[in-house]
Amino acid sequence: MNNSQETIDLIDHDIRHEIDTIRAEMTVDRVVFPLNEGEIRNPLNGARLVETDGYPSKRYRRSFSTEASVERKITHQAEVLTNYIAYRTQPLRIEVTWRGKRYSAIPDAARVMIGRIPELIEAKYDFAAFDEGKNLFQRAISECGAEALGWDYTQLTHSNLGNEYFIENVTDIQYYRFNHVTLREQQIVNKVLRRHDLMLLGDLADEISSCAVRGQTTLYAMMVRRLLSIDLNRPLSRSSIVRRAPDLPQTPYRIWLPPHAK
């Protein structure tokens, strides 16, 4: 192991020790969920400027609030990827007591993916930002809240959201999320994908439209609706692989809990 790696490991160990020390004195008082399965927003007091984007979702039939480019990319993936079961931004508030004082934190998002338990998500530009100043304390609160719920705590940055092709493909597909998809087109695609485990995107597009561009963008809209899954790890083209979307579990996890389950 080189000296640079040893230094990184030592820093990580020190940060983990600091977080564990904070958590040892921290008690989770309650976790508050919104009554309408929506978002919990911090009150505006004029003390700081927060630029917020609204993202209207076709899949989840609601609007999501995002405050940074990483959050927007995560929201795009939740809209497009077929292994997502549920997703919310600012989904809950964690209230804790630490050294006799009360504190709270609102994680950036929560998600449920096939084969995994719910995750509380914090998003930053890079991993170093999680351990800077007040972010370190917020991380401790979020970890405690996730543990109290029996959920996982996940950190997401630009570096672990996928390669450049993957991110670009997700962005391109979500643009077409509101394209109209007819019942006839759905029936044709379902029938073809029942007969063939894999199809080329161009061939499947030709099955539903004489216009190649319209057929392809309609398939993008179908992916948002979880009717099919397109390979996103290579540049999108008529040669991209298409398969059926994975089946959802019969009793999927939900991000929302009723008020008495605080």
Side-chain angles (χ1 to χ4, degrees), residues 2-262:
N2 57 42
N3 291 336
S4 176
Q5 184 61 48
E6 288 178 349
T7 301
I8 292 173
D9 290 344
L10 182 60
I11 293 172
D12 289 343
H13 180 270
D14 290 343
I15 291 172
R16 184 69 259 171
H17 177 72
E18 185 175 353
I19 293 172
D20 290 342
T21 300
I22 294 171
R23 290 189 56 184
E25 300 181 74
M26 186 174 286
T27 302
V28 176
D29 298 320
R30 64 175 183 167
V31 178
V32 180
F33 290 79
L35 293 177
N36 62 352
E37 301 190 46
E39 299 177 346
I40 290 186
R41 306 292 292 167
N42 281 319
L44 300 177
N45 56 18
R48 67 189 184 102
L49 175 66
V50 178
E51 295 184 4
T52 301
D53 291 336
Y55 181 84
S57 167
K58 170 65 178 179
R59 176 178 291 183
Y60 303 102
R61 301 179 183 275
R62 63 177 63 238
S63 181
F64 294 127
S65 299
T66 61
E67 297 176 0
S69 60
V70 180
E71 293 179 37
R72 285 193 292 274
K73 289 179 180 179
I74 297 167
T75 301
H76 289 171
Q77 292 189 5
E79 184 78 357
V80 171
L81 303 184
T82 54
N83 58 343
Y84 272 75
I85 300 172
Y87 178 77
R88 295 287 184 273
T89 53
Q90 286 83 43
L92 51 85
R93 183 174 67 249
I94 304 163
E95 299 178 359
V96 304
T97 299
W98 185 72
R99 295 184 177 177
K101 294 183 179 180
R102 288 192 163 189
Y103 300 88
S104 66
I106 301 175
D108 295 314
R111 69 183 180 187
V112 186
M113 302 176 75
I114 292 175
R116 297 165 67 172
I117 64 175
E119 300 168 75
L120 278 186
I121 295 171
E122 287 194 307
K124 303 292 183 190
Y125 181 81
D126 56 32
F127 284 106
F130 289 104
D131 306 319
E132 297 174 350
K134 66 178 183 180
N135 291 341
L136 185 70
F137 192 74
Q138 179 175 331
R139 173 181 172 180
I141 296 176
S142 295
E143 286 187 10
C144 284
E147 184 178 87
L149 290 167
W151 295 5
D152 282 336
Y153 167 76
T154 301
Q155 295 178 339
L156 295 178
T157 73
H158 286 290
S159 65
N160 65 346
L161 289 179
N163 63 45
E164 61 177 314
Y165 293 130
F166 183 84
I167 292 174
E168 183 177 343
N169 291 339
V170 168
T171 301
D172 288 346
I173 287 176
Q174 60 85 33
Y175 282 134
Y176 300 96
R177 63 191 184 277
F178 290 112
N179 277 26
H180 181 62
V181 179
T182 67
L183 179 59
R184 172 185 168 276
E185 290 166 340
Q186 293 182 44
Q187 291 172 336
I188 291 173
V189 168
N190 286 335
K191 183 177 180 180
V192 171
L193 291 180
R194 279 198 301 267
R195 292 201 313 262
H196 306 281
D197 292 335
L198 302 175
M199 284 286 293
L200 296 181
L201 182 65
D203 292 344
L204 191 57
D206 292 342
E207 292 280 346
I208 60 175
S209 177
S210 58
C211 173
V213 173
R214 187 192 179 282
Q216 191 162 315
T217 55
T218 299
L219 295 179
Y220 293 169
M222 287 188 182
M223 185 167 180
V224 172
R225 291 160 175 77
R226 296 195 83 263
L227 299 175
L228 53 83
S229 181
I230 303 170
D231 178 18
L232 303 180
N233 291 306
R234 296 177 177 83
L236 284 173
S237 70
R238 287 180 59 86
S239 298
S240 295
I241 299 297
V242 183
R243 52 174 56 86
R244 294 179 63 184
D247 294 331
L248 291 173
Q250 293 184 348
T251 55
Y253 281 103
R254 299 176 68 192
I255 290 170
W256 174 81
L257 290 177
H260 65 265
K262 296 174 182 176

